Structures are given as C-alpha cells and as structure tokens.
Amino acid sequence: MTSEVAEGQAGFPMATTGSSRDIAPLKRDHAVVPCLLRVKRDMADFAAYPPPGVYIAAADNDIANIDAMVIGPRDTPYEGAFFRFLIVFPTTYPIEPPRVRFLTTDTGRVQMHPNLDKNGDVTLSLVSTWSPAQSLSSLLVSLRSMFTADPLYDAPHAVRGQLEYSAECYRQFVRHESVRVAVCDAVESCLMDGHPRFPKPFREVVLRRFLEHYGKYEKALMKQRYLNGSEMFDLIGGTKGNFQHDALLARLRDIKEKVEERNNAVICV
C-alpha cells in the first residue's frame, strides 16, 4: 500500500464533527515559528518516506492542524476501513507531543477500539512517553499499529476482567461497525460534493481503495452472516442493537454501483 501527502486547498475545512471541536486551532504568531518549522520538516520526511496505509492533509492557512486517515491493516477486523484523526501541534512541539482526536465514532455512538473511545479520546503509549526524537511519522505509525487482529487484548486488564464475552465477539462487533461506519458512511460521504466529513484530498483515495478492498468487505460480512439479527455489544458490554449483515451487504452493493457509475461518468467526461 502506498501513502500520500495531500496538501489542502486554500480555505480547506478542517474536521467538523463534534469531537474535533474540543481542540482549538493554533494561531500563527512569532511564538509558534519553531513549531511550524518542525512540522514542515516532519511533513517533508513523511513525503520522502511515507508509512503504508496512512494519508495526511493540512490546511494551507494552518499546517499545525493536520487531518490524518489510516486504512485498516490486512488480516484484522479493521481491514480496508477508513479511520480519521485530527492532529494538532501545540506551540511547544516537539518538546510536547501533538494532541490527537479520533473522529470515526459515528458522532459519539461507537467505540472502535479499547484505546479509542467514542468521545474521540486517544490513549497511546507513544504520547505518554513522548520525546523530541519522535515525529509526525512515528505518531502515525503508532496510530495505525493500534488496529490489530485482536483489539480486545489492548484493553486495560481491569476492563478485560469485566467483560463477559470473548475476544471473538469483540472482533465481530468491530468488523460490523468498521464496515458500517468506516466504510459505508465514509464512502457515501465521499460521493457527496462538499460533504465536510472527509477532506477533499482524501476522497479520491477512499473511492479508489473502496473498490480495491470491496471483495474483502463482502467476504467478511458473508462469513458472519449467521449473526444477522442477533444482539450486538460494545466494549463495555452495552447493547448496541442487532447485527445487520444482510442490510450492510445490500448497502455495500448499492455503494459499489454508485462508485462505478461515478467513475464511468468521470471517464466519459
């Protein structure tokens, strides 16, 4: 998989989901010049040696606010899904770590990982042990490494001890919600012109990678189709409605047709 540095257009809107509003944008003044110089260097390093499955977009009017997209790694319940983060560099960067907010939460309704809560808070060891030797690239690699084959094992021991269902049950939940929120919702928003959920530089990437991964999405849902209609639980054991594999399969196929129609229309033009 390849990675890209996608520079935002002038006036590029940063994330507008509710969870991103808690992080105020940095103001450009003399006090943040060292921070901005380091961010520029980090972005140049990212462009020269891009980590796999990671994309970034920065606003032209404030490169200290960066939108990042991570594509779920293969052989995990997150495979091929599109996860967004907002990264804000404080004026003290790189002495202090960047602030990170997870944005793929279905507006606060879904917790995709034990260390990515539904309010957007991110628990990452790299941040707690931060040093100036770390960089934007090392942060992005650490974020992507969170999306593992067995995410439940990343939960704190006390939390794991309270769970009454297996790691497999949690993988089933994560796969279903990844396809629903981080694939279907994501691709549908990219098909809508002017939709703020996905920055413009990411949209073509999402639409292209969706078609590349489509077979994996469908295969994963078909494999778990026997769960259709049964109760679904989140990490803390709360009921989250029922599995809707049949509805998701129909939705996926409809989205695929729309993406292909859109691509054919672009080719004809």
PDB file of all heavy atoms in Angstrom, residues 159-180:
ATOM      1  N   VAL A 159     -10.481  -3.648  32.679  1.00  0.00           N
ATOM      2  CA  VAL A 159     -11.622  -3.640  31.763  1.00  0.00           C
ATOM      3  C   VAL A 159     -11.846  -5.032  31.202  1.00  0.00           C
ATOM      4  O   VAL A 159     -12.965  -5.528  31.137  1.00  0.00           O
ATOM      5  CB  VAL A 159     -11.383  -2.629  30.622  1.00  0.00           C
ATOM      6  CG1 VAL A 159     -12.493  -2.722  29.585  1.00  0.00           C
ATOM      7  CG2 VAL A 159     -11.300  -1.217  31.191  1.00  0.00           C
ATOM      8  N   ARG A 160     -10.764  -5.698  30.802  1.00  0.00           N
ATOM      9  CA  ARG A 160     -10.904  -7.038  30.245  1.00  0.00           C
ATOM     10  C   ARG A 160     -11.544  -7.985  31.254  1.00  0.00           C
ATOM     11  O   ARG A 160     -12.342  -8.844  30.901  1.00  0.00           O
ATOM     12  CB  ARG A 160      -9.530  -7.579  29.840  1.00  0.00           C
ATOM     13  CG  ARG A 160      -9.119  -7.202  28.435  1.00  0.00           C
ATOM     14  CD  ARG A 160      -7.877  -7.944  28.030  1.00  0.00           C
ATOM     15  NE  ARG A 160      -6.683  -7.252  28.469  1.00  0.00           N
ATOM     16  CZ  ARG A 160      -5.496  -7.820  28.590  1.00  0.00           C
ATOM     17  NH1 ARG A 160      -5.358  -9.097  28.350  1.00  0.00           N
ATOM     18  NH2 ARG A 160      -4.459  -7.125  28.976  1.00  0.00           N
ATOM     19  N   GLY A 161     -11.203  -7.803  32.523  1.00  0.00           N
ATOM     20  CA  GLY A 161     -11.740  -8.679  33.547  1.00  0.00           C
ATOM     21  C   GLY A 161     -13.233  -8.534  33.742  1.00  0.00           C
ATOM     22  O   GLY A 161     -13.883  -9.433  34.271  1.00  0.00           O
ATOM     23  N   GLN A 162     -13.792  -7.402  33.311  1.00  0.00           N
ATOM     24  CA  GLN A 162     -15.218  -7.158  33.483  1.00  0.00           C
ATOM     25  C   GLN A 162     -16.040  -7.685  32.311  1.00  0.00           C
ATOM     26  O   GLN A 162     -17.264  -7.744  32.390  1.00  0.00           O
ATOM     27  CB  GLN A 162     -15.467  -5.653  33.626  1.00  0.00           C
ATOM     28  CG  GLN A 162     -14.825  -5.040  34.868  1.00  0.00           C
ATOM     29  CD  GLN A 162     -14.892  -3.527  34.848  1.00  0.00           C
ATOM     30  OE1 GLN A 162     -15.534  -2.939  33.987  1.00  0.00           O
ATOM     31  NE2 GLN A 162     -14.232  -2.890  35.795  1.00  0.00           N
ATOM     32  N   LEU A 163     -15.379  -8.045  31.239  1.00  0.00           N
ATOM     33  CA  LEU A 163     -16.112  -8.449  30.049  1.00  0.00           C
ATOM     34  C   LEU A 163     -16.665  -9.859  30.195  1.00  0.00           C
ATOM     35  O   LEU A 163     -16.030 -10.732  30.768  1.00  0.00           O
ATOM     36  CB  LEU A 163     -15.199  -8.386  28.825  1.00  0.00           C
ATOM     37  CG  LEU A 163     -14.639  -7.003  28.514  1.00  0.00           C
ATOM     38  CD1 LEU A 163     -13.705  -7.076  27.322  1.00  0.00           C
ATOM     39  CD2 LEU A 163     -15.762  -6.024  28.236  1.00  0.00           C
ATOM     40  N   GLU A 164     -17.848 -10.056  29.640  1.00  0.00           N
ATOM     41  CA  GLU A 164     -18.499 -11.354  29.731  1.00  0.00           C
ATOM     42  C   GLU A 164     -18.603 -12.025  28.362  1.00  0.00           C
ATOM     43  O   GLU A 164     -19.387 -12.945  28.173  1.00  0.00           O
ATOM     44  CB  GLU A 164     -19.893 -11.196  30.349  1.00  0.00           C
ATOM     45  CG  GLU A 164     -19.855 -10.670  31.779  1.00  0.00           C
ATOM     46  CD  GLU A 164     -21.237 -10.527  32.379  1.00  0.00           C
ATOM     47  OE1 GLU A 164     -22.221 -10.750  31.643  1.00  0.00           O
ATOM     48  OE2 GLU A 164     -21.329 -10.198  33.568  1.00  0.00           O
ATOM     49  N   TYR A 165     -17.839 -11.544  27.430  1.00  0.00           N
ATOM     50  CA  TYR A 165     -17.844 -12.159  26.112  1.00  0.00           C
ATOM     51  C   TYR A 165     -16.411 -12.245  25.609  1.00  0.00           C
ATOM     52  O   TYR A 165     -15.513 -11.602  26.121  1.00  0.00           O
ATOM     53  CB  TYR A 165     -18.723 -11.390  25.132  1.00  0.00           C
ATOM     54  CG  TYR A 165     -18.371  -9.926  24.985  1.00  0.00           C
ATOM     55  CD1 TYR A 165     -17.567  -9.491  23.941  1.00  0.00           C
ATOM     56  CD2 TYR A 165     -18.853  -8.990  25.888  1.00  0.00           C
ATOM     57  CE1 TYR A 165     -17.245  -8.160  23.802  1.00  0.00           C
ATOM     58  CE2 TYR A 165     -18.532  -7.648  25.754  1.00  0.00           C
ATOM     59  CZ  TYR A 165     -17.733  -7.242  24.712  1.00  0.00           C
ATOM     60  OH  TYR A 165     -17.418  -5.918  24.585  1.00  0.00           O
ATOM     61  N   SER A 166     -16.196 -13.041  24.610  1.00  0.00           N
ATOM     62  CA  SER A 166     -14.844 -13.371  24.175  1.00  0.00           C
ATOM     63  C   SER A 166     -14.267 -12.333  23.231  1.00  0.00           C
ATOM     64  O   SER A 166     -14.957 -11.446  22.730  1.00  0.00           O
ATOM     65  CB  SER A 166     -14.860 -14.728  23.462  1.00  0.00           C
ATOM     66  OG  SER A 166     -15.583 -14.605  22.246  1.00  0.00           O
ATOM     67  N   ALA A 167     -12.959 -12.499  22.990  1.00  0.00           N
ATOM     68  CA  ALA A 167     -12.290 -11.634  22.028  1.00  0.00           C
ATOM     69  C   ALA A 167     -12.906 -11.784  20.647  1.00  0.00           C
ATOM     70  O   ALA A 167     -12.971 -10.828  19.875  1.00  0.00           O
ATOM     71  CB  ALA A 167     -10.798 -11.968  21.984  1.00  0.00           C
ATOM     72  N   GLU A 168     -13.386 -12.979  20.331  1.00  0.00           N
ATOM     73  CA  GLU A 168     -14.025 -13.204  19.032  1.00  0.00           C
ATOM     74  C   GLU A 168     -15.304 -12.387  18.912  1.00  0.00           C
ATOM     75  O   GLU A 168     -15.595 -11.822  17.853  1.00  0.00           O
ATOM     76  CB  GLU A 168     -14.327 -14.686  18.842  1.00  0.00           C
ATOM     77  CG  GLU A 168     -15.090 -15.014  17.566  1.00  0.00           C
ATOM     78  CD  GLU A 168     -14.349 -14.619  16.293  1.00  0.00           C
ATOM     79  OE1 GLU A 168     -13.112 -14.477  16.334  1.00  0.00           O
ATOM     80  OE2 GLU A 168     -15.019 -14.440  15.258  1.00  0.00           O
ATOM     81  N   CYS A 169     -16.068 -12.296  19.991  1.00  0.00           N
ATOM     82  CA  CYS A 169     -17.290 -11.483  19.968  1.00  0.00           C
ATOM     83  C   CYS A 169     -16.953 -10.022  19.691  1.00  0.00           C
ATOM     84  O   CYS A 169     -17.663  -9.341  18.946  1.00  0.00           O
ATOM     85  CB  CYS A 169     -18.039 -11.600  21.289  1.00  0.00           C
ATOM     86  SG  CYS A 169     -18.861 -13.169  21.543  1.00  0.00           S
ATOM     87  N   TYR A 170     -15.867  -9.556  20.292  1.00  0.00           N
ATOM     88  CA  TYR A 170     -15.497  -8.161  20.071  1.00  0.00           C
ATOM     89  C   TYR A 170     -15.014  -7.948  18.645  1.00  0.00           C
ATOM     90  O   TYR A 170     -15.299  -6.923  18.028  1.00  0.00           O
ATOM     91  CB  TYR A 170     -14.424  -7.726  21.071  1.00  0.00           C
ATOM     92  CG  TYR A 170     -14.157  -6.238  21.017  1.00  0.00           C
ATOM     93  CD1 TYR A 170     -15.182  -5.322  21.246  1.00  0.00           C
ATOM     94  CD2 TYR A 170     -12.893  -5.739  20.720  1.00  0.00           C
ATOM     95  CE1 TYR A 170     -14.958  -3.959  21.181  1.00  0.00           C
ATOM     96  CE2 TYR A 170     -12.659  -4.377  20.663  1.00  0.00           C
ATOM     97  CZ  TYR A 170     -13.696  -3.493  20.890  1.00  0.00           C
ATOM     98  OH  TYR A 170     -13.470  -2.147  20.813  1.00  0.00           O
ATOM     99  N   ARG A 171     -14.285  -8.918  18.099  1.00  0.00           N
ATOM    100  CA  ARG A 171     -13.870  -8.815  16.696  1.00  0.00           C
ATOM    101  C   ARG A 171     -15.084  -8.744  15.777  1.00  0.00           C
ATOM    102  O   ARG A 171     -15.089  -7.990  14.799  1.00  0.00           O
ATOM    103  CB  ARG A 171     -12.990 -10.005  16.306  1.00  0.00           C
ATOM    104  CG  ARG A 171     -11.562  -9.927  16.815  1.00  0.00           C
ATOM    105  CD  ARG A 171     -10.676 -10.941  16.115  1.00  0.00           C
ATOM    106  NE  ARG A 171     -11.088 -12.306  16.396  1.00  0.00           N
ATOM    107  CZ  ARG A 171     -10.634 -13.018  17.419  1.00  0.00           C
ATOM    108  NH1 ARG A 171      -9.760 -12.496  18.260  1.00  0.00           N
ATOM    109  NH2 ARG A 171     -11.039 -14.263  17.595  1.00  0.00           N
ATOM    110  N   GLN A 172     -16.114  -9.519  16.082  1.00  0.00           N
ATOM    111  CA  GLN A 172     -17.334  -9.495  15.272  1.00  0.00           C
ATOM    112  C   GLN A 172     -17.996  -8.119  15.321  1.00  0.00           C
ATOM    113  O   GLN A 172     -18.435  -7.588  14.297  1.00  0.00           O
ATOM    114  CB  GLN A 172     -18.296 -10.574  15.763  1.00  0.00           C
ATOM    115  CG  GLN A 172     -17.812 -11.990  15.522  1.00  0.00           C
ATOM    116  CD  GLN A 172     -18.600 -13.022  16.297  1.00  0.00           C
ATOM    117  OE1 GLN A 172     -19.428 -12.681  17.152  1.00  0.00           O
ATOM    118  NE2 GLN A 172     -18.353 -14.295  16.016  1.00  0.00           N
ATOM    119  N   PHE A 173     -18.054  -7.560  16.514  1.00  0.00           N
ATOM    120  CA  PHE A 173     -18.625  -6.222  16.684  1.00  0.00           C
ATOM    121  C   PHE A 173     -17.819  -5.187  15.903  1.00  0.00           C
ATOM    122  O   PHE A 173     -18.374  -4.366  15.162  1.00  0.00           O
ATOM    123  CB  PHE A 173     -18.657  -5.862  18.174  1.00  0.00           C
ATOM    124  CG  PHE A 173     -18.825  -4.400  18.448  1.00  0.00           C
ATOM    125  CD1 PHE A 173     -20.062  -3.791  18.310  1.00  0.00           C
ATOM    126  CD2 PHE A 173     -17.744  -3.624  18.847  1.00  0.00           C
ATOM    127  CE1 PHE A 173     -20.219  -2.428  18.559  1.00  0.00           C
ATOM    128  CE2 PHE A 173     -17.889  -2.270  19.102  1.00  0.00           C
ATOM    129  CZ  PHE A 173     -19.137  -1.668  18.956  1.00  0.00           C
ATOM    130  N   VAL A 174     -16.491  -5.241  16.057  1.00  0.00           N
ATOM    131  CA  VAL A 174     -15.621  -4.262  15.403  1.00  0.00           C
ATOM    132  C   VAL A 174     -15.720  -4.374  13.886  1.00  0.00           C
ATOM    133  O   VAL A 174     -15.777  -3.357  13.178  1.00  0.00           O
ATOM    134  CB  VAL A 174     -14.160  -4.446  15.872  1.00  0.00           C
ATOM    135  CG1 VAL A 174     -13.201  -3.678  14.975  1.00  0.00           C
ATOM    136  CG2 VAL A 174     -14.003  -3.978  17.313  1.00  0.00           C
ATOM    137  N   ARG A 175     -15.762  -5.596  13.368  1.00  0.00           N
ATOM    138  CA  ARG A 175     -15.834  -5.758  11.913  1.00  0.00           C
ATOM    139  C   ARG A 175     -17.138  -5.191  11.372  1.00  0.00           C
ATOM    140  O   ARG A 175     -17.149  -4.483  10.365  1.00  0.00           O
ATOM    141  CB  ARG A 175     -15.703  -7.241  11.529  1.00  0.00           C
ATOM    142  CG  ARG A 175     -15.528  -7.447  10.024  1.00  0.00           C
ATOM    143  CD  ARG A 175     -14.345  -6.650   9.518  1.00  0.00           C
ATOM    144  NE  ARG A 175     -14.150  -6.754   8.079  1.00  0.00           N
ATOM    145  CZ  ARG A 175     -13.461  -5.872   7.359  1.00  0.00           C
ATOM    146  NH1 ARG A 175     -12.928  -4.814   7.942  1.00  0.00           N
ATOM    147  NH2 ARG A 175     -13.297  -6.034   6.073  1.00  0.00           N
ATOM    148  N   HIS A 176     -18.234  -5.499  12.041  1.00  0.00           N
ATOM    149  CA  HIS A 176     -19.539  -4.996  11.610  1.00  0.00           C
ATOM    150  C   HIS A 176     -19.558  -3.470  11.611  1.00  0.00           C
ATOM    151  O   HIS A 176     -19.954  -2.828  10.629  1.00  0.00           O
ATOM    152  CB  HIS A 176     -20.621  -5.541  12.546  1.00  0.00           C
ATOM    153  CG  HIS A 176     -22.018  -5.162  12.181  1.00  0.00           C
ATOM    154  ND1 HIS A 176     -22.572  -3.938  12.525  1.00  0.00           N
ATOM    155  CD2 HIS A 176     -22.990  -5.839  11.512  1.00  0.00           C
ATOM    156  CE1 HIS A 176     -23.816  -3.885  12.087  1.00  0.00           C
ATOM    157  NE2 HIS A 176     -24.096  -5.021  11.465  1.00  0.00           N
ATOM    158  N   GLU A 177     -19.100  -2.873  12.707  1.00  0.00           N
ATOM    159  CA  GLU A 177     -19.148  -1.420  12.828  1.00  0.00           C
ATOM    160  C   GLU A 177     -18.111  -0.728  11.946  1.00  0.00           C
ATOM    161  O   GLU A 177     -18.334   0.392  11.483  1.00  0.00           O
ATOM    162  CB  GLU A 177     -18.973  -1.009  14.292  1.00  0.00           C
ATOM    163  CG  GLU A 177     -20.142  -1.438  15.171  1.00  0.00           C
ATOM    164  CD  GLU A 177     -21.453  -0.823  14.703  1.00  0.00           C
ATOM    165  OE1 GLU A 177     -22.119  -1.431  13.825  1.00  0.00           O
ATOM    166  OE2 GLU A 177     -21.816   0.256  15.190  1.00  0.00           O
ATOM    167  N   SER A 178     -16.984  -1.388  11.699  1.00  0.00           N
ATOM    168  CA  SER A 178     -15.999  -0.818  10.774  1.00  0.00           C
ATOM    169  C   SER A 178     -16.582  -0.714   9.372  1.00  0.00           C
ATOM    170  O   SER A 178     -16.418   0.302   8.693  1.00  0.00           O
ATOM    171  CB  SER A 178     -14.721  -1.666  10.752  1.00  0.00           C
ATOM    172  OG  SER A 178     -14.019  -1.562  11.966  1.00  0.00           O
ATOM    173  N   VAL A 179     -17.273  -1.770   8.939  1.00  0.00           N
ATOM    174  CA  VAL A 179     -17.887  -1.728   7.613  1.00  0.00           C
ATOM    175  C   VAL A 179     -19.015  -0.697   7.576  1.00  0.00           C
ATOM    176  O   VAL A 179     -19.141   0.069   6.616  1.00  0.00           O
ATOM    177  CB  VAL A 179     -18.411  -3.124   7.202  1.00  0.00           C
ATOM    178  CG1 VAL A 179     -19.200  -3.038   5.898  1.00  0.00           C
ATOM    179  CG2 VAL A 179     -17.247  -4.099   7.044  1.00  0.00           C
ATOM    180  N   ARG A 180     -19.809  -0.651   8.624  1.00  0.00           N
ATOM    181  CA  ARG A 180     -20.947   0.275   8.634  1.00  0.00           C
ATOM    182  C   ARG A 180     -20.506   1.734   8.674  1.00  0.00           C
ATOM    183  O   ARG A 180     -20.966   2.562   7.870  1.00  0.00           O
ATOM    184  CB  ARG A 180     -21.851  -0.016   9.839  1.00  0.00           C
ATOM    185  CG  ARG A 180     -23.112   0.865   9.880  1.00  0.00           C
ATOM    186  CD  ARG A 180     -23.984   0.536  11.071  1.00  0.00           C
ATOM    187  NE  ARG A 180     -23.397   0.946  12.335  1.00  0.00           N
ATOM    188  CZ  ARG A 180     -23.487   2.183  12.841  1.00  0.00           C
ATOM    189  NH1 ARG A 180     -24.122   3.140  12.173  1.00  0.00           N
ATOM    190  NH2 ARG A 180     -22.939   2.470  14.009  1.00  0.00           N
TER     191      ARG A 180
END
